[in-house]
DNA sequence: GCAATAGTGTCTATGAGACAGTATAGC
DNA sequence: GCTATACTGTCTCATAGACACTATTGC
């Protein structure tokens, strides 16, 4: 193999003075509700994609990091405080929401107004933190259309809605990322309250992976993982034998 | 939980006219040589970080996608043609180099000249494709300093060199990504020539993971995976019993 | 008591690791 | 013949799945 092109002069590494792309962050806010994986979306009030649903997002300010921008979007658009993890440097904090960078989308033409590069994040939120959802925001059920690399959104009555920009692709990558990470990280706990039963934890896994899991081996694996701390307490008002409540051991 | 901040007005989603960050791509070009994972780096010829070693990179042009920019960097700075994979939509092509988006780095201050957001990619290259390396480019051995989330670079004589910008962190994320993906994807084949022995394949895994693997179970797992196609040919000039050569079945 | 789930114990199938034994190249 | 590795076969151990059995709640 030979060097096909002349080597680019180093001078070209100087930033261009014009024609810079805009940079945004978009945040996929995921939760589990009604037995489904759901995402919080915002109804657009202007062109393009007027009245389409879109990911909460915003432009990256010149002095803020990408993570700070994503946390700001979480705070301003969903009233949530975030905690940063992911990318091999899982950070811990006291905040209730798990946040991790997802992927960066930059196809020219993805925003008809001009060149916009979007650094996508995804957040995992316990459903109880999304009680009060204001006007023009809504939680949608998600359906991954694997062959096409995009997701579709539905309301509680199975009515499908339209997504703005390439946000269907971004949602698809988010779903696939969460599914993948479920296998080798403790990401599932982020969608549950502080105390939970093994049945509830298994439901989380089954909902996200969209398949039944073996109850016995799920119990064994979870209890053997050392990630769970028994509380000694039992759930209440079940109509059947109450299960023990466990806590997630963040240290492990 | 309540909505702590007023909802950001939608007007704020308009792109800012000034103070836009610059966007670059940096490419971690990885190969295996001399039994080590190595990266191709470029010696800087100007301030800041004069004479430090840096990842090959360049500014994203206003009409090109991020992938196109990364492919251009590969072509112009390493004479390589790329093939795009990754992020749940593994695309295949006829090109010899595997390329996948890694992570986006945007901390303010990471480039003292101004706000620069870098979308990092990584490429896996068979060593024979990196024979002629021109002046001011060099392959370095890598050492991951796990606790600090960065990698260090060494030449063949174990002399350590300095990395520019946050490129040590980017290298660290790349190493960790490759290690991770080795477990659940067929990424290891990208670092080998078209035909290879099981021993050579195992060496790839051991070099990247930095640990000895069990030979018997490695053979069994690989042969059972359906990813290998026996060629019937044997390697030559070994000094010991020659092993069969296999090919990677891209379709599977 | 009945329904529904929690939790325990055990059997089996599968895959990984360990190791023995045979095969084949260069020297 | 010697050395180094390829390749085959077998045993053991750990884990996952399956299933049987008992326990505990609300009704």
């Amino acid at each position: 193999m030979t060097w096909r092109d002349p080597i680019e002069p180093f001078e070209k590494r100087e930033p261009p003075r014009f024609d810079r792309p805009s940079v945004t962050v978009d945040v996929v806010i995921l939760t589990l509700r009604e037995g489904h994986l759901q995402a919080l979306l915002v109804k657009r009030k202007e062109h393009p994609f007027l009245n389409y649903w879109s990911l909460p997002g915003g432009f990256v300010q010149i002095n803020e990091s990408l993570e700070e921008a994503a946390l700001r979007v979480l705070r301003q658009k969903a009233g949530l405080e975030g905690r940063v993890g992911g990318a091999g440097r899982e950070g811990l904090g006291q905040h209730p929401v798990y946040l991790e960078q997802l992927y960066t989308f930059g196809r020219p033409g993805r925003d008809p107004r001009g060149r916009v590069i979007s650094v996508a994040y995804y957040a995992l939120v316990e459903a109880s933190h999304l009680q009060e959802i204001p006007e023009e925001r809504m939680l949608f059920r998600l359906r991954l259309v694997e062959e096409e690399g995009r997701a579709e959104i539905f309301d509680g009555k199975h009515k499908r809605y339209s997504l703005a920009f390439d946000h269907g692709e971004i949602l698809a990558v988010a779903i696939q990322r969460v599914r993948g990470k479920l296998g080798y990280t403790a990401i599932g706990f982020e969608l549950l309250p502080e105390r939970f039963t093994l049945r509830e934890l298994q439901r989380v896994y089954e909902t996200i992976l969209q398949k039944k899991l073996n109850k016995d081996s799920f119990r064994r694996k979870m209890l053997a993982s050392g990630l769970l701390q028994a509380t000694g307490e039992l759930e209440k008002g079940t109509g059947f034998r109450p299960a023990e409540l466990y806590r997630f051991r963040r240290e492990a």
Side-chain angles (χ1 to χ4, degrees), chain A:
Chain A
M1 177 142 326
T2 56
W3 294 76
R4 293 180 194 144
D5 288 16
I7 300 302
E8 182 184 17
F10 281 95
E11 289 66 36
K12 277 208 186 156
R13 285 208 65 147
E14 275 305 307
R17 298 197 179 279
F18 307 104
D19 277 354
R20 288 188 188 175
S22 304
V23 181
T24 64
V25 294
D26 288 318
V27 184
V28 179
I29 301 175
L30 295 172
T31 193
L32 286 181
R33 257 200 0 175
E34 305 152 357
H36 290 270
L37 188 62
Q38 305 201 351
L40 182 72
L41 298 172
V42 182
K43 191 173 191 175
R44 281 186 60 78
K45 303 303 284 181
E46 51 181 19
H47 290 285
F49 295 102
L50 176 66
N51 290 331
Y52 284 50
W53 293 86
S54 67
L55 296 170
F59 285 88
V60 175
Q61 302 302 304
I62 203 72
N63 290 321
E64 77 186 342
S65 71
L66 301 173
E67 280 166 3
E68 284 162 2
L71 292 171
R72 178 171 53 79
V73 167
L74 267 178
R75 205 184 320 114
Q76 294 179 337
K77 305 229 170 166
L80 296 165
E81 289 292 330
R83 168 167 48 79
V84 176
R89 50 211 173 130
E90 314 283 338
L92 292 175
Q94 66 284 53
H95 298 301
V97 177
Y98 178 88
L99 180 72
E100 183 189 332
Q101 190 183 304
L102 178 63
Y103 196 79
T104 297
F105 297 81
R107 177 172 56 77
R110 60 181 291 278
D111 188 325
R113 292 167 298 186
R115 184 70 195 274
V116 180
I117 291 170
S118 170
V119 183
Y121 280 74
Y122 73 99
L124 301 179
V125 183
E126 187 204 329
S128 68
H129 291 170
L130 289 170
Q131 297 289 7
E132 314 165 33
I133 296 177
E135 242 345 77
E136 312 306 344
R137 281 146 179 78
M138 210 164 97
L139 282 170
F140 287 89
R141 297 189 185 179
L142 303 173
R143 191 171 77 87
L144 179 62
V145 188
E146 209 133 7
E147 320 79 74
E148 300 175 30
R150 65 187 176 77
E152 297 176 338
I153 56 170
F154 300 86
D155 66 12
K157 293 170 185 130
H158 308 290
K159 177 162 182 254
R160 196 180 129 210
Y161 288 79
S162 296
L163 280 162
F165 306 105
D166 54 0
H167 291 186
E169 293 170 47
I170 300 179
L171 282 166
V173 175
I175 296 169
Q176 288 165 327
R177 171 76 62 90
V178 173
R179 279 189 190 165
K181 284 210 112 178
L182 210 54
Y184 60 97
T185 59
I187 219 177
F189 300 96
E190 307 292 349
L191 295 161
L192 287 174
E194 199 223 340
R195 295 175 309 160
F196 51 85
T197 67
L198 284 169
R199 167 175 40 82
E200 290 167 331
L201 184 59
Q202 182 169 354
R203 285 278 154 76
V204 170
Y205 277 68
E206 291 179 337
T207 303
I208 292 173
L209 298 175
Q210 292 276 59
K211 67 174 179 191
K212 272 278 184 205
L213 297 178
N214 181 283
K215 179 187 157 188
D216 304 298
S217 107
F218 184 83
R219 283 183 68 85
R220 256 183 313 200
K221 197 164 34 167
M222 278 301 158
L223 292 172
S225 72
L227 294 171
L228 296 183
Q229 183 173 28
T231 64
E233 301 167 69
L234 301 178
E235 57 179 341
K236 289 209 176 78
T238 51
F240 46 82
R241 174 173 170 181
E244 178 157 17
L245 292 168
Y246 289 85
R247 203 192 312 271
F248 173 45
R249 295 183 55 214
R250 278 243 142 69
E251 331 84 75

